[in-house]
Amino acid sequence: MASLSLLPFSFVLFLLAASPVISTNSEGEALHALRTKLSDPTNVLQSWDPTLVNPCTWFHVTCDDRNRVIRLDLGNSNISGPLGPELGRLQHLQYLELYRNNFEGKIPEELGNLKNLISMDLYGNHLQGQIPKSFGKLKSLRFLRLNNNKLKGSIPRELASLSNLKVIDLSNNDLCGTIPIDGPFSTFPPQSFENNSRLNGPELQGLVPYDFGC
């Protein structure tokens, strides 16, 4: 059998193009890995074909002009299952819209790797555990809505460093401790934190620890 070095260059290119190994990119692989963990009774994710070159033709996925995933819109889609760490591989993502589904389990720490994220809407699910401290790395974040879940623990003080954060909604969870007063938290209304029976505040710095009551 002739080696690749003896074959015409154009034929080598044809072989490479036909290879299934390079038939998808890392973002498509990440989204497909997420899909395999989810229950999708209404086939919202039916178009998520991992054999395509990239996921930009999939429904509910938006790409920029360089075929990089920048939006994931799956709100009100009757999807259930865990949020996988694979989402943290969508490094160009700007909008993560997963509200009003049946997602469960913990919020992955890996979401803190989404440095271009502008909006994260995870409200109206069944998410548990704590708000990841890694969210303090989301320096582009403007909108963070985690309300109407089952989140516990204190509000991470790392969020107070998010100078671009304009809207936060943590209401209707089971958060505890005190409400930060630094950075953008000085502008958020009380409604952003209501119906957390163990949450006190605003924080009285130097008088009680921020996780008082947890």
Side-chain angles (χ1 to χ4, degrees):
M1 183 175 178
S3 65
L4 287 178
S5 61
L6 298 178
L7 294 173
F9 181 68
S10 60
F11 186 63
V12 172
L13 290 179
F14 170 78
L15 290 177
L16 292 175
S19 172
V21 176
I22 59 171
S23 62
T24 187
N25 64 10
S26 60
E27 293 182 328
E29 291 171 352
L31 288 172
H32 182 65
L34 175 67
R35 179 192 175 187
T36 61
K37 301 176 181 179
L38 301 178
S39 173
D40 177 27
T42 55
N43 293 321
V44 172
L45 307 177
Q46 189 172 17
S47 66
W48 288 24
D49 183 352
T51 65
L52 299 179
V53 174
N54 60 57
C56 298
T57 59
W58 299 358
F59 291 155
H60 312 291
V61 175
T62 303
C63 295
D64 62 12
D65 56 5
R66 298 177 64 182
N67 292 328
R68 302 179 303 190
V69 176
I70 58 172
R71 285 190 70 111
L72 187 58
D73 290 289
L74 290 172
N76 287 311
S77 295
N78 198 28
I79 295 172
S80 60
L83 292 180
E86 300 86 2
L87 285 170
R89 291 158 53 188
L90 304 177
Q91 58 180 318
H92 305 288
L93 196 68
Q94 298 177 15
Y95 296 88
L96 181 60
E97 307 299 326
L98 304 179
Y99 55 87
R100 291 180 182 151
N101 283 289
N102 295 298
F103 288 111
E104 57 192 11
K106 295 182 178 181
I107 300 175
E109 289 277 348
E110 289 81 0
L111 294 187
N113 297 330
L114 303 176
K115 61 181 180 180
N116 294 301
L117 201 64
I118 295 173
S119 175
M120 184 191 302
D121 284 322
L122 305 181
Y123 62 86
N125 283 286
H126 304 289
L127 297 170
Q128 300 175 336
Q130 298 187 353
I131 301 171
K133 293 182 178 180
S134 62
F135 282 9
K137 298 187 294 183
L138 301 175
K139 302 303 183 183
S140 298
L141 196 65
R142 299 178 190 171
F143 307 96
L144 177 61
R145 287 173 280 242
L146 306 177
N147 50 292
N148 295 84
N149 279 288
K150 300 176 181 179
L151 299 174
K152 297 180 179 293
S154 59
I155 300 172
R157 267 31 190 183
E158 289 80 0
L159 298 183
S161 68
L162 301 180
S163 59
N164 289 314
L165 194 61
K166 304 301 182 187
V167 173
I168 192 170
D169 194 342
L170 305 178
S171 62
N172 297 292
N173 280 288
D174 188 25
L175 300 175
C176 58
T178 56
I179 300 171
I181 58 174
D182 294 332
F185 281 86
S186 63
T187 65
F188 298 143
Q191 291 82 0
S192 299
F193 311 101
E194 64 185 6
N195 295 326
N196 286 280
S197 60
R198 297 189 296 146
L199 189 63
N200 305 290
E203 179 179 8
L204 299 174
Q205 291 182 326
L207 298 181
V208 294
Y210 73 86
D211 57 353
F212 175 78
C214 286

